[in-house]
């Protein structure tokens, strides 16, 4: 599959989806004017990837902040990843947040309860600043 990459902006996260290297990451702030328009190509890429996934997939979310429209799209991304995990291949989610960002940590805990994918919440003081 062709690598999917979007550089971050003030209102949108950096996206790197690279099946060859096994890198799947969304990082930054997510406040797109139209979350559906921004995230649909990402959901489509992941859905296509799920038809022939790597034996192991670790999807990394490293948000500084996101709005409620983006939260819905995060669930739309988690859904096909969950199907990978359900079909005899390994899939995990790493939710990285700054230790001082209690809201982001709680959001990760909430997403972890919604899905059946192994979900790691990682607090790291070096998050976000560089993409």
């Amino acid at each position: 599959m062709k690598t999917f990459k979007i550089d971050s902006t003030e209102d949108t996260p950096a996206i790197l989806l690279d099946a060859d290297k096994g890198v799947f990451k969304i990082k930054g702030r997510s406040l797109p004017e139209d979350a559906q328009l921004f995230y649909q190509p990402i959901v489509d890429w992941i859905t296509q990837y799920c038809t022939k996934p790597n034996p192991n997939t670790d999807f990394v979310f490293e948000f500084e902040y996101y709005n409620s429209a983006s939260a819905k799209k995060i669930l739309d991304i988690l859904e096909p990843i969950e199907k990978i995990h359900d079909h005899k291949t390994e899939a995990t989610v790493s939710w990285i947040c700054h230790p001082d960002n209690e809201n982001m940590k709680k959001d990760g805990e909430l997403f972890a309860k919604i899905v059946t994918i192994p979900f790691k919440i990682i607090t790291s003081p070096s998050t976000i600043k560089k993409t």
Side-chain angles (χ1 to χ4, degrees), residues 1 16-26 45-61 77-95 116-120:
M1 279 187 80
L16 180 57
L17 307 173
D18 186 336
D20 292 336
K21 292 183 180 173
V23 176
F24 308 92
K25 189 170 192 174
I26 299 177
W45 189 98
I46 292 167
T47 301
Q48 178 64 33
Y49 166 78
C50 290
T51 63
K52 292 183 182 174
N54 295 341
N56 295 299
T57 301
D58 185 25
F59 205 99
V60 178
F61 292 95
I77 290 168
L78 289 171
E79 183 179 317
I81 297 169
E82 191 167 36
K83 289 177 184 172
I84 295 172
H85 185 69
D86 291 344
H87 287 99
K88 309 287 188 256
T89 56
E90 293 294 321
T92 59
V93 171
S94 295
W95 185 269
T116 59
I117 313 163
F119 210 100
K120 300 179 283 186

